[in-house]
Amino acid sequence: MKFRPCIDLHSGVVKQIVGSTLTDDKQNALRATSVGSPAENFSTDKPAAEFAEMYRRDGLTGGHVIMLGPGNEEAAKSALAAYPNGLQIGGGITADNALEWISHGASHLIVTSFVFHNGQIDFDRLHSLVDRIGKDKLVLDLSCRRKPGDADGEYFVVTDRWQTYTDVAVNPSTLQMLGSYCCEFLVHGVENEGKRCGILEDLVVLLGKYSPVPVTYAGGVRGMEDLERVKELGGGKVDLTIGSALDCFGGDISYDDVVAWHKRENP
């Protein structure tokens, strides 16, 4: 099991945002329905490239840069340039711009909305991406939520800043099928993302048991004990991203302690 670092960008700035407060207006601008802006846990003037350089220094691989809405391209490119082939990139990736992001130094491309289109899996678009970059460069983002009022139901893939439900359930058959088109999954447990309220344990179990490809879970981590909990529940097969709970993002968990844990697990 690995720790996977992250850089989340909003309007060109590194931020940590409560996932369930994101929406997407008609101009694709990030906002919250109630107050006109997403609920932020953390924001910094520290450039994205500095975080990328830190991850490079510490030998952390498989981390991701996520562009939340417009205005993030230059910051994302600077991060990729600081750690060439060391970071994945997601947010607005399509078949048309895929090769451009690879040329900027992305190790892999993370895709959601382009493939999960109009509530369904758009296999034409999926095939076009695989043809363009190969499955070994494609990470499918299966970030998901339960439907309102269905506390024990299945998780469904969500798009458009995690507000639009698709008809695609995250279950064993979907994982097996989609795993034939990509090299990894990235899964944010949206309801717990950015809240430091604990991981979605049943989702971690599902991913560890049924994902045919490497998978990274993110959402709800609140302490070092969650690293061990994910390791246990996921059978060592589910990697973990920690965002707002880390001290480098304004939280309480020591980034250095997490890196030390990662290095003990991956000598």
Side-chain angles (χ1 to χ4, degrees):
M1 177 186 161
K2 299 177 181 178
F3 162 62
R4 305 273 199 121
C6 65
I7 301 172
D8 292 348
L9 297 171
H10 175 225
S11 299
V13 176
V14 176
K15 295 183 180 181
Q16 288 291 315
I17 292 172
V18 179
S20 58
T21 69
L22 306 184
T23 63
D24 196 16
D25 69 17
K26 293 180 180 179
Q27 286 75 42
N28 293 318
L30 193 62
R31 61 180 178 86
T33 54
S34 58
V35 296
S37 62
E40 296 178 5
N41 284 322
F42 175 82
S43 180
T44 181
D45 293 331
K46 183 176 179 180
E50 288 193 25
F51 287 94
E53 289 165 359
M54 181 172 70
Y55 302 154
R56 182 179 184 177
R57 176 200 72 198
D58 293 330
L60 300 173
T61 59
H64 56 262
V65 180
I66 300 296
M67 298 180 287
L68 297 167
N72 296 304
E73 289 79 4
E74 292 308 311
K77 290 174 185 177
S78 72
L80 297 178
Y83 193 0
N85 299 309
L87 293 167
Q88 305 171 358
I89 185 77
I93 304 298
T94 70
D96 290 336
N97 64 21
L99 291 177
E100 176 186 356
W101 283 108
I102 294 293
S103 73
H104 286 303
S107 66
H108 299 75
L109 304 184
I110 303 167
V111 178
T112 311
S113 297
F114 181 72
V115 167
F116 299 100
H117 182 59
N118 291 332
Q120 305 288 335
I121 301 170
D122 189 321
F123 284 99
D124 288 339
R125 290 184 170 196
L126 180 55
H127 287 133
S128 72
L129 268 174
V130 175
D131 291 344
R132 192 69 55 89
I133 63 170
K135 66 171 287 186
D136 62 331
K137 291 283 189 181
L138 180 59
V139 177
L140 288 178
D141 186 338
L142 305 184
S143 295
C144 54
R145 310 173 80 163
R146 285 191 168 108
K147 291 189 174 179
D150 193 4
D152 298 316
E154 289 187 301
Y155 292 94
F156 287 84
V157 174
V158 287
T159 63
D160 302 325
R161 316 298 176 253
W162 300 336
Q163 293 299 308
T164 301
Y165 284 90
T166 69
D167 295 327
V168 182
V170 179
N171 58 33
S173 61
T174 299
L175 292 169
Q176 289 293 324
M177 183 269 292
L178 290 175
S180 66
Y181 292 96
C182 65
C183 65
E184 293 185 14
F185 295 130
L186 172 64
V187 183
H188 291 82
V190 173
E191 294 305 333
N192 289 19
E193 174 69 15
K195 296 181 179 178
R196 288 181 262 179
C197 58
I199 62 172
L200 293 170
E201 296 193 350
D202 57 340
L203 182 55
V204 173
V205 170
L206 173 71
L207 298 173
K209 188 172 182 179
Y210 293 108
S211 178
V213 295
V215 56
T216 300
Y217 169 85
V221 172
R222 57 188 169 190
M224 288 294 297
E225 65 275 9
D226 283 323
L227 287 155
E228 292 293 339
R229 190 66 175 149
V230 169
K231 178 183 174 182
E232 175 188 354
L233 294 172
K237 299 177 181 179
V238 180
D239 292 344
L240 182 64
T241 289
I242 308 173
S244 58
L246 289 176
D247 57 1
C248 61
F249 295 128
D252 302 321
I253 303 175
S254 166
Y255 166 81
D256 290 338
D257 287 351
V258 172
V259 171
W261 184 95
H262 167 86
K263 290 183 176 180
R264 287 195 300 272
E265 292 293 315
N266 300 274

